[in-house]
Amino acid sequence: MRRLAVSFVVVAALLGACGGKDKPPRDTTTGDTAVTQPGLSYYDGPPPWPLAGQQFQRIQAAGLEGYKAESLVVHFHAHLDVFYDGQPVKVPASVGIDYDAQRISPMHTHADSGVIHIEANQDATFTLGQFLSEWGVKVKGACVADKCGDEVAVFVNGSIQDMPAPDLVIHAGNEIALVLGTQPPDIPSTYDCKAEAPDTTLCPPR
């Protein structure tokens, strides 16, 4: 808890200076999807997609609670790779963390490594669509940003999933690859979970 409080104080100025100002998301909300909210804007075109602002509001729009401190009742990690027309897209640091409001989502990132941290006060279901909404990427039905239908695919541990990508439930140790548009030559099937989390409860045997 102390680590989070210190981080809020030290990083708040930096977040305000660089939190997604390079390419602001467009206000394209329609009110007909559970992971967008009127008054917030979402990326609905090609990347780059820097971290969008108003993270606390985005946490709430995704149907998640903004904690005042990290909770480790439920704690595990997964990894997300995103590809747009065959090119990798960086998953930004501090998704789900609002330093100004001093709130943190149970699903968030600390670094831009693609590692998603689930640190919740109770067992719950966390989906890829909720995470994308926190990030600021538009999710509407089975569409992500400006890709829909066959242009959106999701893989877990190298295997394609037969479901809309936003509905994918995030589980411990999973390597998730979200593919938008043209598929890259290689789909990652693993990631080095233990490099960041040697605890086997965070990196269960595969």
Side-chain angles (χ1 to χ4, degrees):
M1 294 183 182
R2 182 173 299 173
R3 175 169 63 88
L4 180 65
V6 171
S7 298
F8 278 141
V9 173
V10 172
V11 185
L14 293 176
L15 185 66
C18 60
K21 292 185 177 178
D22 294 336
K23 181 186 174 186
R26 295 169 56 194
D27 188 353
T28 57
T29 57
T30 62
D32 60 355
T33 170
V35 291
T36 61
Q37 177 174 295
L40 291 176
S41 53
Y42 294 83
Y43 295 113
D44 65 347
W49 300 322
L51 180 69
Q54 297 175 284
Q55 280 295 296
F56 184 29
Q57 290 90 333
R58 294 180 190 281
I59 293 167
Q60 294 175 311
L64 299 172
E65 181 181 352
Y67 300 157
K68 293 183 178 180
E70 291 168 300
S71 178
L72 302 180
V73 175
V74 176
H75 186 197
F76 63 85
H77 295 172
H79 186 267
L80 174 64
D81 283 292
V82 179
F83 300 93
Y84 188 99
D85 284 339
Q87 299 301 310
V89 179
K90 186 179 289 294
V91 178
S94 300
V95 174
I97 302 176
D98 192 320
Y99 293 98
D100 292 330
Q102 297 196 18
R103 297 284 181 158
I104 185 166
S105 168
M107 177 169 53
H108 57 267
T109 65
H110 288 290
D112 62 3
S113 63
V115 173
I116 298 174
H117 296 247
I118 303 295
E119 298 172 5
N121 62 13
Q122 61 183 339
D123 193 16
T125 297
F126 300 97
T127 68
L128 180 57
Q130 288 175 308
F131 180 79
L132 293 170
S133 181
E134 288 186 331
W135 177 353
V137 179
K138 185 176 181 180
V139 175
K140 183 177 181 181
C143 300
V144 176
D146 60 345
K147 303 291 188 182
C148 293
D150 292 340
E151 293 187 305
V152 179
V154 65
F155 297 76
V156 175
N157 303 330
S159 298
I160 194 166
Q161 304 298 296
D162 185 18
M163 66 173 63
D167 294 344
L168 180 76
V169 176
I170 297 172
H171 293 291
N174 279 354
E175 162 55 42
I176 301 165
L178 174 63
V179 177
L180 306 175
T182 305
Q183 186 170 312
D186 298 300
I187 299 294
S189 60
T190 61
Y191 83 101
D192 190 2
C193 179
K194 292 185 179 180
E196 292 197 29
D199 186 340
T200 57
T201 62
L202 302 182
C203 304
R206 292 276 303 279

